[in-house]
Amino acid sequence: MVGSSHEAMHRIFQKDPALLTRALQQVLRIPFPEPHDFAGMNVDLTEIEPIERRVDTLLRAETDEGAYLLVVESQGKPDERKRGSWPYYLSYLYEKYHCEPVLIVVTQNSATARWAAEPIHLGVRGCPSLTVRPFVLGPDNVPVIAKASEAERDVPLAVLSAMTHGRGRQAPAILESLAVALRTIDRDSAAVFVQFVDSCLADTQARKMWRDLMTAMQYFWRHPLAESVRGEGRVQKGAEMTLKILEWRGVPVSDAVRHRVETCTDEDLLTLWARRAMDVSDAEELFDADGS
């Protein structure tokens, strides 16, 4: 189970390495060659000396132009120590593997993104011996995917969008679109992506909305995250969940509809209504003949 935003922000690329190169090509407009194979690598860069150095994620991408080492660092806030560590990582990896290293920093914070994007110059001021230019994926360049049709076209990118932008006014549309898109992929992959998003949602209301959506869809019902949700008492009853989803989506709820939902005691029926609440444009559509 993914336990932190830091973990999720880089582990999504372990789950789908191709997302990383698509982000380089499509988001950052870097002419990175098309990989035909990926391999995970040991993230421990510690030498014989007792100085521990670890990258967050390290992938080897095989392309027609040769192999690249993709170094992914998840950054929550500025850390000046990284300005010494990152050049070391790239130099060490190049010397050890004789492959071109590429540094990608991922963050949910615009200020941190601006800090991370600053070139690192080592040497004489104005004439450095070494310059490192990190590639940064953050709120200012990761696309906001708030339409289900767009999310379905590239589910991993939609997951990264939710992890990066899952707060504020855009959160409901982003999370709802992703919830719809997750129906189009296999349950195991969906369950992993659900964890990544859940770990990155710092906004309490957004996380509650996400957990209610996922509980209604039962994507991760048998996963440890579901046990966590139950244990923390955050799983809403079916009636409450149905009405909340309609509220988040801006679908008007009449007193008659509210009364019918709140007085229903059929658990299966409430689960059906909760699922329908994610799609209907009129609250009365919850009670279509095949489900009423």
Side-chain angles (χ1 to χ4, degrees), residues 21-53:
T21 53
R22 289 202 304 278
L24 289 174
Q25 296 164 343
Q26 300 170 19
V27 178
L28 299 179
R29 305 298 181 187
I30 295 168
F32 192 89
E34 196 65 39
H36 48 71
D37 191 26
F38 289 96
M41 301 183 68
N42 190 342
V43 299
D44 191 343
L45 308 186
T46 305
E47 298 183 87
I48 296 176
E49 292 82 358
I51 301 175
E52 183 175 326
R53 301 180 188 271

PDB file of all heavy atoms in Angstrom, residues 21-53:
ATOM      1  N   THR A  21       8.102   8.846 -20.369  1.00  0.00           N
ATOM      2  CA  THR A  21       8.614   9.348 -21.647  1.00  0.00           C
ATOM      3  C   THR A  21       7.542  10.118 -22.412  1.00  0.00           C
ATOM      4  O   THR A  21       7.862  11.073 -23.120  1.00  0.00           O
ATOM      5  CB  THR A  21       9.163   8.192 -22.503  1.00  0.00           C
ATOM      6  OG1 THR A  21       8.172   7.171 -22.632  1.00  0.00           O
ATOM      7  CG2 THR A  21      10.401   7.599 -21.849  1.00  0.00           C
ATOM      8  N   ARG A  22       6.273   9.742 -22.224  1.00  0.00           N
ATOM      9  CA  ARG A  22       5.200  10.537 -22.852  1.00  0.00           C
ATOM     10  C   ARG A  22       5.166  11.934 -22.251  1.00  0.00           C
ATOM     11  O   ARG A  22       4.933  12.927 -22.954  1.00  0.00           O
ATOM     12  CB  ARG A  22       3.842   9.864 -22.665  1.00  0.00           C
ATOM     13  CG  ARG A  22       3.647   8.610 -23.481  1.00  0.00           C
ATOM     14  CD  ARG A  22       2.165   8.283 -23.697  1.00  0.00           C
ATOM     15  NE  ARG A  22       1.412   8.157 -22.468  1.00  0.00           N
ATOM     16  CZ  ARG A  22       1.380   7.060 -21.720  1.00  0.00           C
ATOM     17  NH1 ARG A  22       2.100   5.998 -22.046  1.00  0.00           N
ATOM     18  NH2 ARG A  22       0.641   7.012 -20.620  1.00  0.00           N
ATOM     19  N   ALA A  23       5.384  12.008 -20.935  1.00  0.00           N
ATOM     20  CA  ALA A  23       5.395  13.316 -20.283  1.00  0.00           C
ATOM     21  C   ALA A  23       6.549  14.172 -20.803  1.00  0.00           C
ATOM     22  O   ALA A  23       6.407  15.373 -21.014  1.00  0.00           O
ATOM     23  CB  ALA A  23       5.493  13.150 -18.768  1.00  0.00           C
ATOM     24  N   LEU A  24       7.711  13.549 -20.993  1.00  0.00           N
ATOM     25  CA  LEU A  24       8.845  14.288 -21.547  1.00  0.00           C
ATOM     26  C   LEU A  24       8.529  14.807 -22.945  1.00  0.00           C
ATOM     27  O   LEU A  24       8.808  15.958 -23.289  1.00  0.00           O
ATOM     28  CB  LEU A  24      10.086  13.393 -21.604  1.00  0.00           C
ATOM     29  CG  LEU A  24      10.747  13.027 -20.276  1.00  0.00           C
ATOM     30  CD1 LEU A  24      11.863  12.009 -20.509  1.00  0.00           C
ATOM     31  CD2 LEU A  24      11.296  14.256 -19.573  1.00  0.00           C
ATOM     32  N   GLN A  25       7.909  13.947 -23.749  1.00  0.00           N
ATOM     33  CA  GLN A  25       7.632  14.307 -25.142  1.00  0.00           C
ATOM     34  C   GLN A  25       6.474  15.291 -25.266  1.00  0.00           C
ATOM     35  O   GLN A  25       6.561  16.297 -25.992  1.00  0.00           O
ATOM     36  CB  GLN A  25       7.323  13.039 -25.953  1.00  0.00           C
ATOM     37  CG  GLN A  25       8.490  12.072 -26.056  1.00  0.00           C
ATOM     38  CD  GLN A  25       8.058  10.691 -26.511  1.00  0.00           C
ATOM     39  OE1 GLN A  25       6.869  10.343 -26.463  1.00  0.00           O
ATOM     40  NE2 GLN A  25       9.007   9.868 -26.934  1.00  0.00           N
ATOM     41  N   GLN A  26       5.362  15.005 -24.576  1.00  0.00           N
ATOM     42  CA  GLN A  26       4.128  15.756 -24.789  1.00  0.00           C
ATOM     43  C   GLN A  26       3.981  16.960 -23.866  1.00  0.00           C
ATOM     44  O   GLN A  26       3.451  17.998 -24.273  1.00  0.00           O
ATOM     45  CB  GLN A  26       2.920  14.821 -24.614  1.00  0.00           C
ATOM     46  CG  GLN A  26       2.904  13.655 -25.582  1.00  0.00           C
ATOM     47  CD  GLN A  26       1.842  12.620 -25.253  1.00  0.00           C
ATOM     48  OE1 GLN A  26       0.882  12.892 -24.535  1.00  0.00           O
ATOM     49  NE2 GLN A  26       2.006  11.412 -25.759  1.00  0.00           N
ATOM     50  N   VAL A  27       4.429  16.823 -22.627  1.00  0.00           N
ATOM     51  CA  VAL A  27       4.271  17.915 -21.664  1.00  0.00           C
ATOM     52  C   VAL A  27       5.449  18.881 -21.728  1.00  0.00           C
ATOM     53  O   VAL A  27       5.269  20.098 -21.820  1.00  0.00           O
ATOM     54  CB  VAL A  27       4.120  17.366 -20.226  1.00  0.00           C
ATOM     55  CG1 VAL A  27       4.013  18.509 -19.228  1.00  0.00           C
ATOM     56  CG2 VAL A  27       2.880  16.463 -20.128  1.00  0.00           C
ATOM     57  N   LEU A  28       6.663  18.336 -21.698  1.00  0.00           N
ATOM     58  CA  LEU A  28       7.851  19.184 -21.687  1.00  0.00           C
ATOM     59  C   LEU A  28       8.411  19.457 -23.077  1.00  0.00           C
ATOM     60  O   LEU A  28       9.368  20.213 -23.225  1.00  0.00           O
ATOM     61  CB  LEU A  28       8.935  18.547 -20.811  1.00  0.00           C
ATOM     62  CG  LEU A  28       8.549  18.349 -19.333  1.00  0.00           C
ATOM     63  CD1 LEU A  28       9.693  17.700 -18.568  1.00  0.00           C
ATOM     64  CD2 LEU A  28       8.172  19.675 -18.689  1.00  0.00           C
ATOM     65  N   ARG A  29       7.838  18.800 -24.115  1.00  0.00           N
ATOM     66  CA  ARG A  29       8.255  19.016 -25.511  1.00  0.00           C
ATOM     67  C   ARG A  29       9.739  18.712 -25.714  1.00  0.00           C
ATOM     68  O   ARG A  29      10.438  19.392 -26.452  1.00  0.00           O
ATOM     69  CB  ARG A  29       7.959  20.454 -25.950  1.00  0.00           C
ATOM     70  CG  ARG A  29       6.507  20.875 -25.776  1.00  0.00           C
ATOM     71  CD  ARG A  29       5.587  20.036 -26.621  1.00  0.00           C
ATOM     72  NE  ARG A  29       4.191  20.451 -26.471  1.00  0.00           N
ATOM     73  CZ  ARG A  29       3.161  19.790 -27.002  1.00  0.00           C
ATOM     74  NH1 ARG A  29       3.377  18.703 -27.721  1.00  0.00           N
ATOM     75  NH2 ARG A  29       1.928  20.218 -26.820  1.00  0.00           N
ATOM     76  N   ILE A  30      10.216  17.670 -25.043  1.00  0.00           N
ATOM     77  CA  ILE A  30      11.605  17.245 -25.193  1.00  0.00           C
ATOM     78  C   ILE A  30      11.636  16.118 -26.228  1.00  0.00           C
ATOM     79  O   ILE A  30      10.874  15.153 -26.124  1.00  0.00           O
ATOM     80  CB  ILE A  30      12.164  16.755 -23.846  1.00  0.00           C
ATOM     81  CG1 ILE A  30      12.216  17.925 -22.854  1.00  0.00           C
ATOM     82  CG2 ILE A  30      13.538  16.127 -24.015  1.00  0.00           C
ATOM     83  CD1 ILE A  30      12.465  17.498 -21.440  1.00  0.00           C
ATOM     84  N   PRO A  31      12.497  16.213 -27.239  1.00  0.00           N
ATOM     85  CA  PRO A  31      12.518  15.197 -28.309  1.00  0.00           C
ATOM     86  C   PRO A  31      13.162  13.890 -27.857  1.00  0.00           C
ATOM     87  O   PRO A  31      14.170  13.443 -28.403  1.00  0.00           O
ATOM     88  CB  PRO A  31      13.333  15.887 -29.409  1.00  0.00           C
ATOM     89  CG  PRO A  31      14.259  16.798 -28.669  1.00  0.00           C
ATOM     90  CD  PRO A  31      13.461  17.300 -27.484  1.00  0.00           C
ATOM     91  N   PHE A  32      12.578  13.283 -26.846  1.00  0.00           N
ATOM     92  CA  PHE A  32      13.119  12.027 -26.324  1.00  0.00           C
ATOM     93  C   PHE A  32      12.750  10.904 -27.291  1.00  0.00           C
ATOM     94  O   PHE A  32      11.596  10.800 -27.720  1.00  0.00           O
ATOM     95  CB  PHE A  32      12.538  11.737 -24.936  1.00  0.00           C
ATOM     96  CG  PHE A  32      13.246  10.631 -24.204  1.00  0.00           C
ATOM     97  CD1 PHE A  32      14.345  10.906 -23.405  1.00  0.00           C
ATOM     98  CD2 PHE A  32      12.826   9.317 -24.325  1.00  0.00           C
ATOM     99  CE1 PHE A  32      15.008   9.890 -22.725  1.00  0.00           C
ATOM    100  CE2 PHE A  32      13.480   8.296 -23.661  1.00  0.00           C
ATOM    101  CZ  PHE A  32      14.576   8.587 -22.859  1.00  0.00           C
ATOM    102  N   PRO A  33      13.700  10.056 -27.678  1.00  0.00           N
ATOM    103  CA  PRO A  33      13.402   8.978 -28.628  1.00  0.00           C
ATOM    104  C   PRO A  33      12.404   7.983 -28.052  1.00  0.00           C
ATOM    105  O   PRO A  33      12.326   7.793 -26.843  1.00  0.00           O
ATOM    106  CB  PRO A  33      14.768   8.331 -28.867  1.00  0.00           C
ATOM    107  CG  PRO A  33      15.584   8.698 -27.676  1.00  0.00           C
ATOM    108  CD  PRO A  33      15.113  10.062 -27.244  1.00  0.00           C
ATOM    109  N   GLU A  34      11.647   7.333 -28.919  1.00  0.00           N
ATOM    110  CA  GLU A  34      10.601   6.400 -28.498  1.00  0.00           C
ATOM    111  C   GLU A  34      11.231   5.121 -27.932  1.00  0.00           C
ATOM    112  O   GLU A  34      11.950   4.412 -28.633  1.00  0.00           O
ATOM    113  CB  GLU A  34       9.708   6.046 -29.681  1.00  0.00           C
ATOM    114  CG  GLU A  34       8.389   5.410 -29.281  1.00  0.00           C
ATOM    115  CD  GLU A  34       7.512   6.374 -28.491  1.00  0.00           C
ATOM    116  OE1 GLU A  34       7.472   7.581 -28.830  1.00  0.00           O
ATOM    117  OE2 GLU A  34       6.851   5.904 -27.542  1.00  0.00           O
ATOM    118  N   PRO A  35      10.994   4.808 -26.656  1.00  0.00           N
ATOM    119  CA  PRO A  35      11.565   3.585 -26.073  1.00  0.00           C
ATOM    120  C   PRO A  35      10.838   2.344 -26.586  1.00  0.00           C
ATOM    121  O   PRO A  35       9.646   2.385 -26.887  1.00  0.00           O
ATOM    122  CB  PRO A  35      11.327   3.753 -24.572  1.00  0.00           C
ATOM    123  CG  PRO A  35      10.943   5.189 -24.387  1.00  0.00           C
ATOM    124  CD  PRO A  35      10.288   5.603 -25.656  1.00  0.00           C
ATOM    125  N   HIS A  36      11.574   1.254 -26.680  1.00  0.00           N
ATOM    126  CA  HIS A  36      10.922  -0.019 -27.011  1.00  0.00           C
ATOM    127  C   HIS A  36      11.038  -1.023 -25.878  1.00  0.00           C
ATOM    128  O   HIS A  36      10.509  -2.130 -25.965  1.00  0.00           O
ATOM    129  CB  HIS A  36      11.485  -0.600 -28.312  1.00  0.00           C
ATOM    130  CG  HIS A  36      12.991  -0.632 -28.390  1.00  0.00           C
ATOM    131  ND1 HIS A  36      13.756  -1.499 -27.646  1.00  0.00           N
ATOM    132  CD2 HIS A  36      13.857   0.122 -29.111  1.00  0.00           C
ATOM    133  CE1 HIS A  36      15.037  -1.303 -27.919  1.00  0.00           C
ATOM    134  NE2 HIS A  36      15.135  -0.320 -28.800  1.00  0.00           N
ATOM    135  N   ASP A  37      11.717  -0.625 -24.788  1.00  0.00           N
ATOM    136  CA  ASP A  37      11.794  -1.497 -23.624  1.00  0.00           C
ATOM    137  C   ASP A  37      12.210  -0.680 -22.405  1.00  0.00           C
ATOM    138  O   ASP A  37      12.913   0.327 -22.525  1.00  0.00           O
ATOM    139  CB  ASP A  37      12.829  -2.609 -23.868  1.00  0.00           C
ATOM    140  CG  ASP A  37      12.766  -3.698 -22.803  1.00  0.00           C
ATOM    141  OD1 ASP A  37      11.680  -3.878 -22.212  1.00  0.00           O
ATOM    142  OD2 ASP A  37      13.794  -4.351 -22.561  1.00  0.00           O
ATOM    143  N   PHE A  38      11.748  -1.128 -21.222  1.00  0.00           N
ATOM    144  CA  PHE A  38      12.114  -0.491 -19.968  1.00  0.00           C
ATOM    145  C   PHE A  38      12.580  -1.550 -18.978  1.00  0.00           C
ATOM    146  O   PHE A  38      12.140  -2.706 -19.040  1.00  0.00           O
ATOM    147  CB  PHE A  38      10.914   0.246 -19.337  1.00  0.00           C
ATOM    148  CG  PHE A  38      10.488   1.483 -20.057  1.00  0.00           C
ATOM    149  CD1 PHE A  38       9.460   1.434 -20.978  1.00  0.00           C
ATOM    150  CD2 PHE A  38      11.099   2.697 -19.805  1.00  0.00           C
ATOM    151  CE1 PHE A  38       9.041   2.574 -21.642  1.00  0.00           C
ATOM    152  CE2 PHE A  38      10.695   3.853 -20.461  1.00  0.00           C
ATOM    153  CZ  PHE A  38       9.666   3.786 -21.376  1.00  0.00           C
ATOM    154  N   ALA A  39      13.415  -1.138 -18.048  1.00  0.00           N
ATOM    155  CA  ALA A  39      13.823  -2.033 -16.964  1.00  0.00           C
ATOM    156  C   ALA A  39      14.022  -1.213 -15.705  1.00  0.00           C
ATOM    157  O   ALA A  39      14.638  -0.140 -15.742  1.00  0.00           O
ATOM    158  CB  ALA A  39      15.114  -2.758 -17.326  1.00  0.00           C
ATOM    159  N   GLY A  40      13.461  -1.686 -14.595  1.00  0.00           N
ATOM    160  CA  GLY A  40      13.697  -1.037 -13.324  1.00  0.00           C
ATOM    161  C   GLY A  40      15.121  -1.316 -12.850  1.00  0.00           C
ATOM    162  O   GLY A  40      15.681  -2.377 -13.134  1.00  0.00           O
ATOM    163  N   MET A  41      15.724  -0.373 -12.133  1.00  0.00           N
ATOM    164  CA  MET A  41      17.102  -0.519 -11.692  1.00  0.00           C
ATOM    165  C   MET A  41      17.219  -0.231 -10.209  1.00  0.00           C
ATOM    166  O   MET A  41      16.333   0.379  -9.611  1.00  0.00           O
ATOM    167  CB  MET A  41      18.021   0.421 -12.492  1.00  0.00           C
ATOM    168  CG  MET A  41      17.992   0.162 -13.991  1.00  0.00           C
ATOM    169  SD  MET A  41      19.145   1.229 -14.894  1.00  0.00           S
ATOM    170  CE  MET A  41      20.720   0.569 -14.313  1.00  0.00           C
ATOM    171  N   ASN A  42      18.335  -0.644  -9.624  1.00  0.00           N
ATOM    172  CA  ASN A  42      18.596  -0.418  -8.210  1.00  0.00           C
ATOM    173  C   ASN A  42      18.737   1.071  -7.943  1.00  0.00           C
ATOM    174  O   ASN A  42      19.551   1.754  -8.577  1.00  0.00           O
ATOM    175  CB  ASN A  42      19.893  -1.145  -7.813  1.00  0.00           C
ATOM    176  CG  ASN A  42      20.111  -1.154  -6.310  1.00  0.00           C
ATOM    177  OD1 ASN A  42      19.518  -0.379  -5.579  1.00  0.00           O
ATOM    178  ND2 ASN A  42      20.988  -2.041  -5.864  1.00  0.00           N
ATOM    179  N   VAL A  43      17.955   1.578  -6.995  1.00  0.00           N
ATOM    180  CA  VAL A  43      17.958   3.010  -6.719  1.00  0.00           C
ATOM    181  C   VAL A  43      19.069   3.414  -5.751  1.00  0.00           C
ATOM    182  O   VAL A  43      19.257   4.600  -5.481  1.00  0.00           O
ATOM    183  CB  VAL A  43      16.594   3.465  -6.144  1.00  0.00           C
ATOM    184  CG1 VAL A  43      15.495   3.200  -7.135  1.00  0.00           C
ATOM    185  CG2 VAL A  43      16.300   2.777  -4.803  1.00  0.00           C
ATOM    186  N   ASP A  44      19.818   2.445  -5.216  1.00  0.00           N
ATOM    187  CA  ASP A  44      20.876   2.734  -4.244  1.00  0.00           C
ATOM    188  C   ASP A  44      22.149   3.158  -4.970  1.00  0.00           C
ATOM    189  O   ASP A  44      22.745   2.372  -5.711  1.00  0.00           O
ATOM    190  CB  ASP A  44      21.135   1.487  -3.392  1.00  0.00           C
ATOM    191  CG  ASP A  44      22.024   1.782  -2.182  1.00  0.00           C
ATOM    192  OD1 ASP A  44      22.687   2.835  -2.182  1.00  0.00           O
ATOM    193  OD2 ASP A  44      22.030   0.959  -1.254  1.00  0.00           O
ATOM    194  N   LEU A  45      22.580   4.400  -4.744  1.00  0.00           N
ATOM    195  CA  LEU A  45      23.798   4.918  -5.373  1.00  0.00           C
ATOM    196  C   LEU A  45      24.920   5.091  -4.359  1.00  0.00           C
ATOM    197  O   LEU A  45      25.864   5.844  -4.581  1.00  0.00           O
ATOM    198  CB  LEU A  45      23.499   6.270  -6.045  1.00  0.00           C
ATOM    199  CG  LEU A  45      22.311   6.315  -7.005  1.00  0.00           C
ATOM    200  CD1 LEU A  45      22.252   7.663  -7.693  1.00  0.00           C
ATOM    201  CD2 LEU A  45      22.406   5.198  -8.035  1.00  0.00           C
ATOM    202  N   THR A  46      24.816   4.372  -3.240  1.00  0.00           N
ATOM    203  CA  THR A  46      25.814   4.484  -2.185  1.00  0.00           C
ATOM    204  C   THR A  46      27.158   3.894  -2.636  1.00  0.00           C
ATOM    205  O   THR A  46      27.198   2.819  -3.243  1.00  0.00           O
ATOM    206  CB  THR A  46      25.338   3.745  -0.921  1.00  0.00           C
ATOM    207  OG1 THR A  46      24.059   4.256  -0.545  1.00  0.00           O
ATOM    208  CG2 THR A  46      26.320   3.946   0.225  1.00  0.00           C
ATOM    209  N   GLU A  47      28.243   4.585  -2.321  1.00  0.00           N
ATOM    210  CA  GLU A  47      29.568   4.077  -2.630  1.00  0.00           C
ATOM    211  C   GLU A  47      30.124   3.349  -1.405  1.00  0.00           C
ATOM    212  O   GLU A  47      29.424   3.133  -0.415  1.00  0.00           O
ATOM    213  CB  GLU A  47      30.476   5.247  -3.031  1.00  0.00           C
ATOM    214  CG  GLU A  47      29.994   5.967  -4.283  1.00  0.00           C
ATOM    215  CD  GLU A  47      30.942   7.067  -4.685  1.00  0.00           C
ATOM    216  OE1 GLU A  47      31.911   6.775  -5.413  1.00  0.00           O
ATOM    217  OE2 GLU A  47      30.730   8.205  -4.256  1.00  0.00           O
ATOM    218  N   ILE A  48      31.386   2.987  -1.465  1.00  0.00           N
ATOM    219  CA  ILE A  48      32.004   2.261  -0.347  1.00  0.00           C
ATOM    220  C   ILE A  48      31.993   3.108   0.913  1.00  0.00           C
ATOM    221  O   ILE A  48      31.776   2.622   2.021  1.00  0.00           O
ATOM    222  CB  ILE A  48      33.448   1.856  -0.708  1.00  0.00           C
ATOM    223  CG1 ILE A  48      33.433   0.868  -1.875  1.00  0.00           C
ATOM    224  CG2 ILE A  48      34.152   1.238   0.497  1.00  0.00           C
ATOM    225  CD1 ILE A  48      34.813   0.485  -2.378  1.00  0.00           C
ATOM    226  N   GLU A  49      32.196   4.438   0.741  1.00  0.00           N
ATOM    227  CA  GLU A  49      32.170   5.320   1.891  1.00  0.00           C
ATOM    228  C   GLU A  49      30.784   5.298   2.525  1.00  0.00           C
ATOM    229  O   GLU A  49      29.780   5.125   1.833  1.00  0.00           O
ATOM    230  CB  GLU A  49      32.510   6.758   1.478  1.00  0.00           C
ATOM    231  CG  GLU A  49      33.948   6.953   1.030  1.00  0.00           C
ATOM    232  CD  GLU A  49      34.154   6.551  -0.422  1.00  0.00           C
ATOM    233  OE1 GLU A  49      33.173   6.091  -1.034  1.00  0.00           O
ATOM    234  OE2 GLU A  49      35.271   6.688  -0.921  1.00  0.00           O
ATOM    235  N   PRO A  50      30.707   5.490   3.858  1.00  0.00           N
ATOM    236  CA  PRO A  50      29.409   5.415   4.541  1.00  0.00           C
ATOM    237  C   PRO A  50      28.557   6.659   4.313  1.00  0.00           C
ATOM    238  O   PRO A  50      28.203   7.357   5.248  1.00  0.00           O
ATOM    239  CB  PRO A  50      29.814   5.269   6.012  1.00  0.00           C
ATOM    240  CG  PRO A  50      31.114   6.000   6.096  1.00  0.00           C
ATOM    241  CD  PRO A  50      31.821   5.700   4.805  1.00  0.00           C
ATOM    242  N   ILE A  51      28.245   6.951   3.034  1.00  0.00           N
ATOM    243  CA  ILE A  51      27.351   8.055   2.694  1.00  0.00           C
ATOM    244  C   ILE A  51      26.223   7.470   1.858  1.00  0.00           C
ATOM    245  O   ILE A  51      26.449   6.995   0.751  1.00  0.00           O
ATOM    246  CB  ILE A  51      28.072   9.165   1.900  1.00  0.00           C
ATOM    247  CG1 ILE A  51      29.236   9.730   2.709  1.00  0.00           C
ATOM    248  CG2 ILE A  51      27.090  10.263   1.517  1.00  0.00           C
ATOM    249  CD1 ILE A  51      30.068  10.741   1.959  1.00  0.00           C
ATOM    250  N   GLU A  52      25.045   7.458   2.406  1.00  0.00           N
ATOM    251  CA  GLU A  52      23.926   6.840   1.699  1.00  0.00           C
ATOM    252  C   GLU A  52      23.312   7.820   0.712  1.00  0.00           C
ATOM    253  O   GLU A  52      22.980   8.954   1.056  1.00  0.00           O
ATOM    254  CB  GLU A  52      22.860   6.375   2.698  1.00  0.00           C
ATOM    255  CG  GLU A  52      21.696   5.649   2.024  1.00  0.00           C
ATOM    256  CD  GLU A  52      20.709   5.100   3.029  1.00  0.00           C
ATOM    257  OE1 GLU A  52      21.134   4.696   4.125  1.00  0.00           O
ATOM    258  OE2 GLU A  52      19.504   5.103   2.717  1.00  0.00           O
ATOM    259  N   ARG A  53      23.156   7.383  -0.515  1.00  0.00           N
ATOM    260  CA  ARG A  53      22.539   8.212  -1.550  1.00  0.00           C
ATOM    261  C   ARG A  53      21.576   7.329  -2.329  1.00  0.00           C
ATOM    262  O   ARG A  53      21.988   6.319  -2.907  1.00  0.00           O
ATOM    263  CB  ARG A  53      23.588   8.796  -2.498  1.00  0.00           C
ATOM    264  CG  ARG A  53      24.641   9.674  -1.824  1.00  0.00           C
ATOM    265  CD  ARG A  53      25.628  10.206  -2.841  1.00  0.00           C
ATOM    266  NE  ARG A  53      26.755  10.886  -2.237  1.00  0.00           N
ATOM    267  CZ  ARG A  53      26.784  12.181  -1.941  1.00  0.00           C
ATOM    268  NH1 ARG A  53      25.715  12.927  -2.196  1.00  0.00           N
ATOM    269  NH2 ARG A  53      27.856  12.732  -1.409  1.00  0.00           N
TER     270      ARG A  53
END
